[in-house]
Amino acid sequence: MTQQTEHSHLILTGDRPTGQLHLGHYVGSLRQRVELQTQHPQYILIADLQGLTDNGSQPEKITRNVLEVMADYLAVGIDPQLSTICLQSALPALAELTMLYMNIVTVSRVERNPTVKNEIQQKGFSRSLPAGFLVYPISQAADITAFGADLVPVGDDQLPMIEQTNEIVHKMNSLLPQPVLRHCKALLSPVSRLPGIDGNAKMSKSLGNTLTLSASEEEIHKAVGAMYTDPGHLRVSDPGQIEGNVVFTYLDAFHPDSSKVAAMKAHYQQGGLGDRQCKNELETCLQELLAPVRQRRAELIVDKEMLMTLLKAGSEKAHEKTQQTLVAVKRGLGLPVMF
Ligand code: ATP
Ligand code: MG
């Protein structure tokens, strides 16, 4: 068990239960969490309320995926004895802090957030933009600060959220007699943005270009077979390009032997290494990575009661922790704390 001292780090990460987790989550965040959980206290938030911000009219999509995400966590090796896994909607302090923070952030500031801007465009919201979606970075700031987290392992699309969180920390602390909120830092993994299997810049549930952690052998085979390589590499003997070649991006992200990948790249650039061979190499390593995860996940997902019990226990612990921050902020603002 990790011991928390005054100077030790505290980690918060999380995922929206908008679908099953995928390879982007694995290299962008999950792999790191499995390592970090033995070094620091770690909270992992299943962000169902945030999932609703762009799925308001289909709540069942979110609720059905909560335990799917829970199963994904356990299948990749997140240990509920070491990491506290909790559910956002079970923690009222997060919603209350969001309300308080909304008053110190301007609309123009949220509109400037480049990730939100991009997502609004991608989702085609236009004038039907849900208010909750626009302010989700504020609710993320509430999540991070409520736990007192100072390290946040995320993909690079989340960097603007961390910046915005620190602005809120600064502003809110300046309104309190003494600082309550902790500044935080993003912890980027070496692969902070895995492209989709279609070559799109980001593998994402909303873009439908994912390989989930429970993908079948056949799905993996098909996805790798259809992957984009170098369109100019017509004959095996032609020199090929590495840049923008999704197969090599994936080999870099997933192959356990980086010197072998370096040798393959040199060979490919020189000419004489075929796309088929590169794809075979990638397929083998993805099949090896995902086979045990798929197997463990299949065993876990049938025991919904066990998954819910674990989630409830983690949420109880998180409730206590987040209430403490809320009470300290309310007291600092002079709001009565009645219960
Ligand atoms: P949605 O499309 O519903 O937003 P998503 O696939 O983007 O889903 P999230 O739950 O929003 O997944 O992201 C959870 C975490 O995983 C975030 O820290 C995010 O940066 C990281 N992440 C998601 N996709 C990738 C990716 N392709 N590469 C690296 N990290 C990723
Ligand atoms: Mg996302």
Side-chain angles (χ1 to χ4, degrees):
M1 264 295 200
T2 43
Q3 287 285 313
Q4 192 185 353
T5 67
E6 207 184 318
H7 302 292
S8 75
H9 294 300
L10 192 143
I11 296 170
L12 177 78
T13 62
D15 305 280
R16 295 153 33 97
T18 46
Q20 289 186 24
L21 299 186
H22 52 66
L23 287 176
H25 296 111
Y26 184 76
V27 285
S29 177
L30 296 173
R31 194 160 59 177
Q32 256 184 323
R33 296 180 199 176
V34 173
E35 255 176 57
L36 288 167
Q37 67 183 352
T38 59
Q39 297 156 23
H40 308 287
Q42 173 166 261
Y43 286 86
I44 302 178
L45 184 70
I46 302 184
D48 55 347
L49 294 182
Q50 201 193 112
L52 285 171
T53 60
D54 55 343
N55 292 284
S57 54
Q58 37 179 349
E60 71 293 342
K61 174 177 160 193
I62 303 302
T63 49
R64 132 171 79 83
N65 278 303
V66 168
L67 294 186
E68 297 287 336
V69 170
M70 187 74 188
D72 284 329
Y73 288 162
L74 303 185
V76 296
I78 289 173
D79 177 352
Q81 299 295 322
L82 298 173
S83 298
T84 306
I85 307 174
C86 51
L87 185 65
Q88 192 179 30
S89 63
L91 308 172
L94 305 182
E96 288 187 54
L97 283 171
T98 304
M99 284 297 286
L100 294 172
Y101 296 172
M102 278 206 279
N103 305 318
I104 55 169
V105 181
T106 62
V107 173
S108 71
R109 177 62 184 93
V110 261
E111 282 174 345
R112 265 205 322 274
N113 184 310
T115 299
V116 176
K117 243 190 191 166
N118 186 21
E119 287 174 335
I120 289 174
Q121 214 176 29
Q122 246 174 27
K123 294 172 198 285
F125 277 139
S126 186
R127 288 297 299 158
S128 58
L129 172 67
F133 189 85
L134 183 64
V135 298
Y136 90 74
I138 305 180
S139 103
Q140 249 176 263
D143 301 340
I144 296 167
T145 53
F147 286 92
D150 66 329
L151 281 184
V152 190
V154 281
D156 71 357
D157 60 319
Q158 297 301 305
L159 292 177
M161 314 309 174
I162 304 296
E163 191 186 326
Q164 206 163 357
T165 298
N166 283 324
E167 284 171 27
I168 292 173
V169 168
H170 181 74
K171 183 86 199 275
M172 183 52 87
N173 277 343
S174 73
L175 297 172
L176 307 174
Q178 67 231 7
V180 168
L181 305 178
R182 200 171 181 191
H183 282 91
C184 62
K185 257 196 355 217
L187 201 61
L188 282 183
S189 90
V191 188
S192 60
R193 184 176 299 212
L194 185 75
I197 53 173
D198 60 352
N200 186 300
K202 183 179 173 260
M203 177 177 285
S204 161
K205 286 171 257 155
S206 316
L207 298 175
N209 59 5
T210 69
L211 255 185
T212 66
L213 298 177
S214 64
S216 67
E217 268 182 50
E218 187 51 28
E219 283 169 320
I220 298 170
H221 177 73
K222 270 201 186 141
V224 174
M227 252 176 211
Y228 189 84
T229 54
D230 168 11
H233 188 232
L234 297 175
R235 281 177 300 266
V236 173
S237 55
D238 290 341
Q241 282 235 18
I242 302 297
E243 215 169 285
N245 188 323
V246 184
V247 173
F248 279 101
T249 311
Y250 273 58
L251 281 168
D252 275 333
F254 295 100
H255 202 292
D257 183 352
S258 55
S259 51
K260 179 158 191 194
V261 177
M264 284 175 69
K265 283 182 182 169
H267 192 179
Y268 191 83
Q269 281 170 313
Q270 206 186 346
L273 180 61
D275 287 327
R276 191 63 262 159
Q277 260 173 290
C278 300
K279 287 187 172 185
N280 285 347
E281 186 73 25
L282 174 62
E283 183 181 339
T284 305
C285 88
L286 290 182
Q287 297 286 12
E288 277 171 14
L289 171 73
L290 289 181
V293 177
R294 185 192 311 125
Q295 163 87 31
R296 274 195 299 272
R297 198 185 182 287
E299 289 160 17
L300 290 159
I301 198 66
V302 289
D303 197 349
K304 297 256 163 54
E305 211 177 297
M306 176 274 299
L307 294 173
M308 190 46 102
T309 304
L310 287 174
L311 185 58
K312 201 168 163 215
S315 300
E316 259 164 31
K317 192 170 154 201
H319 181 59
E320 228 173 273
K321 177 102 191 153
T322 53
Q323 267 322 110
Q324 286 169 4
T325 308
L326 174 67
V327 166
V329 170
K330 281 176 87 171
R331 287 222 166 93
L333 291 173
L335 293 165
V337 177
M338 292 183 177
F339 327 101

